[in-house]
Amino acid sequence: MSADECYETADGPLKQGDILIAPVARVCSKDFFVPDRWDRLDQTENTVDRAAVGEQDIYVASGRSLVIVTTHDCHHDKEWNQERTRLIRNGVDPELASTIAEDNNKRDRAFQASPLVPLEDLDAGRHGDLRAGRVAGYFPLPPPSDGAFPECVVDLTYRCTIDRKSIEQRRWGLSIPARARFRFAIASFDSFRTFELTEQIETVIGKTIESVNVGSAGPLMVELVLSDGATLQLVQSPIEPDPGGRLRL
């Protein structure tokens, strides 16, 4: 996917796929071991003294980095929507309720993000698979048209919770097609751990679909029954959330 197809200007409320600068941190062991790919992220090593409360020290590596928002859009406005609904039920005009909820900066401040790691920081022998999105836990990103960052991968193995008030800069976000791919990459890493679905599709070309079954527990999984009696399980594509909710970051 080219840069023009991948990115759009990030504005309005915080969205999954927004790329921004923010502080990141991870809890370490006493030796502050760091994998090579995270060497740029661990800019400061801190020891939190817990002796006063009779506990072992905590070791934290922190820094600032380009990160991408992994939290789904629906979660960003969850508390906002709850407050707005409560106000409306208590007789407040919907427009005023939106304004009151918007001005409460204590709601929905936390989100999760993963850092962007330059492709050059990973094993050169894996660059082809990483660019093609064939490595679970990594999502490839081309350099944007303004050269703000080099060719990178999103490292989903590093995920941290960030306060939105600590965001320093936001310019780029993923386009709708790129965001759909990103959501599937997150699901593949967190839940599926496999790319077998694509391979299964390739084996059924030329066969007829006899029936379609949707899982009773939810609409995520779809089972296709083929003409030779074989079955194929698919995952429905995620959809964009309805517009609405907050109006700004």
Side-chain angles (χ1 to χ4, degrees):
M1 181 175 283
S2 69
D4 290 340
E5 297 171 315
C6 185
Y7 301 116
E8 60 184 25
T9 301
D11 54 18
L14 194 67
K15 298 187 295 295
Q16 187 178 48
D18 280 358
I19 298 170
L20 42 90
I21 296 175
V24 296
R26 67 186 183 91
V27 178
C28 307
S29 61
K30 188 176 182 178
D31 63 357
F32 284 101
F33 169 75
V34 53
D36 290 342
R37 67 184 185 277
W38 292 347
D39 193 49
R40 295 177 190 256
L41 306 175
D42 290 0
Q43 298 155 16
T44 306
E45 297 177 351
N46 298 283
T47 300
V48 182
D49 186 353
R50 301 283 291 172
V53 291
E55 295 182 359
Q56 294 183 351
D57 293 344
I58 299 174
Y59 306 95
V60 180
S62 61
R64 280 185 171 80
S65 172
L66 271 174
V67 301
I68 189 168
V69 178
T70 57
T71 302
H72 192 275
D73 298 17
C74 296
H75 182 76
H76 293 302
D77 293 341
K78 188 175 182 179
E79 294 176 355
W80 187 96
N81 284 321
Q82 290 172 344
E83 175 65 4
R84 181 178 181 274
T85 300
R86 184 189 68 79
L87 291 168
I88 292 173
R89 287 176 177 171
N90 288 334
V92 178
D93 177 77
E95 186 172 342
L96 178 58
S98 296
T99 301
I100 294 172
E102 190 80 36
D103 290 339
N104 188 334
N105 63 11
K106 295 181 180 180
R107 302 191 183 282
D108 296 309
R109 285 179 55 154
F111 66 94
Q112 288 195 322
S114 290
L116 273 61
V117 176
L119 190 65
E120 66 180 25
D121 288 357
L122 289 100
D123 181 7
R126 305 178 71 194
H127 284 187
D129 286 336
L130 288 164
R131 284 193 179 101
R134 290 194 292 263
V135 182
Y138 297 93
F139 181 76
L141 289 176
S145 57
D146 66 352
F149 53 86
E151 183 179 17
C152 292
V153 293
V154 178
D155 189 346
L156 294 170
T157 67
Y158 189 125
R159 203 169 298 175
C160 57
T161 300
I162 300 173
D163 187 325
R164 72 171 67 208
K165 294 296 181 181
S166 68
I167 295 172
E168 297 181 13
Q169 185 178 349
R170 179 178 66 147
R171 170 166 172 75
W172 292 108
L174 297 184
S175 64
I176 290 177
R179 203 152 54 230
R181 293 186 181 187
F182 184 48
R183 287 177 179 142
F184 188 79
I186 293 173
S188 296
F189 176 61
D190 288 343
S191 301
F192 305 144
R193 304 296 300 169
T194 179
F195 295 96
E196 290 180 358
L197 292 173
T198 302
E199 296 171 359
Q200 289 177 6
I201 291 173
E202 294 173 351
T203 67
V204 302
I205 295 175
K207 299 178 183 178
T208 302
I209 297 174
E210 297 290 337
S211 63
V212 179
N213 302 319
V214 178
S216 58
L220 182 62
M221 295 299 298
V222 178
E223 183 181 72
L224 306 182
V225 180
L226 308 177
S227 55
D228 63 354
T231 60
L232 175 66
Q233 286 191 326
L234 302 177
V235 179
Q236 295 204 69
S237 298
I239 60 174
E240 283 293 299
D242 293 332
R246 303 177 95 110
L247 300 176
R248 58 180 186 267
L249 179 62

